[in-house]
Amino acid sequence: MTDIAPDQDLTAVDIDGALDYLKQRFPDAVREDDREGYSGIIVDKDKLVDVATTIRDELGFNYLSSATAVDYLGISDHMEMVYHTYRISGGGALVFKAQTDREKAELPSLVPVWKGADFQEREAYDLFGIRFEGHPNLRRILLWEGFDGHPMRKDWKEAYYEQDHKPFDSRWPAGWVHRAEERTPYGKNVRYPDNLDLSRLVDVSEEDVYQSLGLGVDVQQLDSDDIATERLLVNMGPHHPSTHGVFRMVVTMNGETIEKLEPVMGYLHRNHEKIGERNTFLHNMPFTDRLDYISSMGNNFGYALAVEQLLSRGARYDAPTYRAEVIRVLMAELTRIVNHLWAIGFWLNDLGAFFTPVLYFIEERERILDFFEAVAGSRMMCNYMRFGGVAKDLPERLHSVANLVNDKVRDYNTMQYLTELITERIPRTIEELEEYLSENEIIKARSIGYGYLSPEDAIQYSTAGPLLRGSGIPYDVRRAEPYSIYPELDFDIAVRDEGDMYARYLVRVEEMWQSVRILKQILPRLERTQGEPIMAGKPQHTPRVPLGEAYGRVENPKGELGFYVVSAGDPKGPQNPWRYHVRAPSFINLTPLGLMCQNHKVADIVAILGSIDIVLGETDR
C-alpha cells in the first residue's frame, strides 16, 4: 500500500500509487483485479463515472486510449469493459474495468468523461450488446440495425459456423477438406431477428442515422441574412470517389455551410476480431497485415508486442534478439515513410491536384516496397514478424528474375541498396516534396485554418498520431512508453500548434525526416549485428501462451495501434485468444470529424477527411 500525503500532487504518483489512492478513496467500489495474469482494478458500475472522473481530474490520466468489451461466458459468465488510460505527459497505463451481467448487460457511459469513448462504446454495444446508459447516440456502428444478435458474444454462431477454434477438423490433419458453405443451402445462409417478417419488410435502417441529427424534416426553409437558404440532408458516399465505396458522411447543410456531420461506416466490416478469436495466436499475424494495408509491418509489430507480453510470463520465454529488434524498427520506420508519402499524395488528390503529386511519390514508395518484397515475400501484406523475432533475416542480395522479355533484372547488394535509399533517395524525395508543396499558395489557402481541432478536443476525443500532434500535443508512444530499441535512438517528436489541415501535413513531413534520422542510426546497427540470430529460441507454430491479459501498442503512422489480447484457455489445450481486440487509430480518429467540419463548406469536407488519413480496412475491421 502506497502512503499518499494530503498535499501530494496526485498527477505525479506512479501507477501503483494511483491504484492505491482509488482503493482508499472508493473502498466499497474499487477492488484489485487479482485474477492470474491480470492487472488494474475492478470498479463497481454504480460508481464508474465517479471513479473515471477522479482518474481524469485528480490523478491526471486524461487520455483514454482504449475501451473494449470482453465476454467471459463459460469462465465466470459476465461481461466486462476494459479501459486503458494514460497521462498525456507519458508513462504506463492505468487499467480499470467494469463488469455486468450478460442477461442484462448495462453500464454507465463514459462519454461525459472522455468523448473518445463515443465510438468505442457504440462498438461494444453493436458487437457485444452492452447498453451504455447516458450515451448521447447509442446505436449500431458497424452493422445495420436489423442485424440478428451481437456477433462477438461467445454464444453467437454465424450461418456458416464450423467450430469455435482453428485448425478446423475438416482441414487438419487428415486433409479431407470440406467447407461449411458447401453444406448450407442457398437462402439458409442468412439469419434475421425472430420478429422480422420479410414479406412486410420496410427498410428503416437509416432512420436512426437521420433522427440522430435532430432535423425533424429533411428539407426546411430558413431565413439567413435576407437570403432564403435550404437546410438539406446530403449523403456523401459511399459511392463518392473520396470515400472509396466503403464510407459515408451524412451531412446537414445550411446552403453550402456544414451544420452537422456524422460518419457512417461498416460497409467493409468482416468481424476481424471474431476471426482472430477462432485463429491460433500465430495464425493472426497475417490477418493484422490486412487492417491497414499501407502499414502492414507496423501492424505485425504491435500484435507481436502484445503476445510477447503474455509469453514473457512463462518460464521458457526468450526475448527478441537485438538484431531482430533492429530489423523491426527498420521496417517500422520505412513503413512510416511509405504511409506518409501515400497520405500526403492522396490528400492532395482531395484538394484537387488530381494524381500528379502522388505519381511522383509512388516512385520512391515502390523502391521501399521492392525491399519489403525481397525480405518478406510481399509488397503490401507483409506477414513478416514473429513472436520473439522476425520470420527471416535480410537477404545478402536483392534480385529478381526476368519473367517477361522486357523485364529489368534487379540485382543489388542489400546493404548498399538500403544505404543509398536511406541516405540519398528518400531525403531527395522529401526535399522535392517540400520544395513544390510546402509553400504552394493553393495548398496553404485551402488548408490553413480549415479542419481545426483544439488541443483540448484532440485529447478529449482520444485522437492519435499526426491528428493529435498537429494540435500541439507532443504525444508519441515511441517516447511516451518506449518499446523495442527506441529508447537508445535519437529523434524528436514532430508537433505543430495550429491544429488545422496544414499543420497535420507539416507534421507528416517532419515525421518522415525524423524517420530518416532513425534509419541512419539503424544502418550501422545492421552492419554490426550481421550473422546474429533473428529469432529468440526455437520458432514455435503453436506457442504455449500463459493465462492473462496484455495490451501491446505501437506508434503506427496513423497513430496509436493497440492490441488487447486475453489468454484464458487450458495451458495444455487449444492455443487461441479468448479476446482479440484492435484499437484502430483510423476508427477512433473519426470521432471528432463532425466537429472539425462544422461551419466549413461542402468542398472542404473531403480535404478534412483526407487530412485525418484513414484506411477503411482498419476502420471497419
Side-chain angles (χ1 to χ4, degrees), residues 89-117:
S89 57
L94 190 155
V95 183
F96 65 100
K97 297 138 187 180
Q99 298 177 345
T100 178
D101 295 334
R102 295 184 80 257
E103 297 305 316
K104 190 179 180 183
E106 294 180 349
L107 289 171
S109 173
L110 292 188
V111 173
V113 185
W114 292 287
K115 293 178 181 176

Side-chain angles (χ1 to χ4, degrees), residues 191-224:
R191 285 170 31 185
Y192 297 100
D194 294 336
N195 59 354
L196 187 67
D197 183 353
L198 289 178
S199 64
R200 304 179 63 184
L201 179 63
V202 177
D203 184 9
V204 295
S205 60
E206 297 301 288
E207 284 186 6
D208 285 342
V209 175
Y210 299 141
Q211 288 174 1
S212 70
L213 295 170
L215 293 179
V217 293
D218 287 352
V219 181
Q220 181 181 351
Q221 287 294 125
L222 300 172
D223 289 328
S224 177

Side-chain angles (χ1 to χ4, degrees), residues 33-202:
D33 188 348
D34 55 4
R35 293 171 291 183
E36 181 182 352
Y38 285 73
S39 63
I41 54 175
I42 298 174
V43 181
D44 186 284
K45 66 180 183 179
D46 294 332
K47 289 287 186 179
L48 182 60
V49 174
D50 292 338
V51 173
T53 304
T54 301
I55 290 171
R56 183 195 67 186
D57 294 343
E58 296 184 33
L59 295 170
F61 290 86
N62 52 350
Y63 185 72
L64 174 67
S65 168
S66 174
T68 182
V70 187
D71 182 2
Y72 282 102
L73 176 66
I75 295 178
S76 58
D77 295 344
H78 70 272
M79 309 279 280
E80 183 170 291
M81 279 296 292
V82 184
Y83 305 90
H84 288 78
T85 59
Y86 295 87
R87 291 177 174 131
I88 212 71
S89 57
L94 190 155
V95 183
F96 65 100
K97 297 138 187 180
Q99 298 177 345
T100 178
D101 295 334
R102 295 184 80 257
E103 297 305 316
K104 190 179 180 183
E106 294 180 349
L107 289 171
S109 173
L110 292 188
V111 173
V113 185
W114 292 287
K115 293 178 181 176
D118 184 354
F119 284 11
Q120 299 185 74
E121 287 182 353
R122 285 179 59 190
E123 180 184 15
Y125 163 68
D126 191 356
L127 302 183
F128 286 84
I130 300 175
R131 300 196 65 86
F132 293 90
E133 298 174 10
H135 192 286
N137 187 23
L138 189 64
R139 54 188 180 79
R140 291 189 185 269
I141 192 168
L142 296 173
L143 302 169
W144 72 294
E145 293 297 330
F147 188 87
D148 182 31
H150 303 281
M152 286 303 299
R153 286 192 173 215
K154 291 296 183 182
D155 55 357
W156 187 90
K157 303 290 189 292
E158 69 274 23
Y160 287 133
Y161 170 79
E162 291 189 51
Q163 291 175 246
D164 279 339
H165 297 137
K166 295 178 183 177
F168 292 156
D169 293 339
S170 61
R171 295 162 174 77
W172 178 87
W176 298 103
V177 176
H178 68 267
R179 299 182 183 278
E181 293 90 332
E182 299 165 3
R183 302 186 175 191
T184 304
Y186 179 77
K188 300 292 185 182
N189 59 338
V190 180
R191 285 170 31 185
Y192 297 100
D194 294 336
N195 59 354
L196 187 67
D197 183 353
L198 289 178
S199 64
R200 304 179 63 184
L201 179 63
V202 177

Side-chain angles (χ1 to χ4, degrees), residues 341 344-345 348 357-365 429 433 437:
L341 286 175
I344 292 171
L348 288 162
V358 77
L359 286 173
Y360 280 89
F361 304 154
I362 282 175
E363 184 178 3
E364 216 50 54
R365 174 181 179 268
T429 298
L433 181 154
L437 300 179

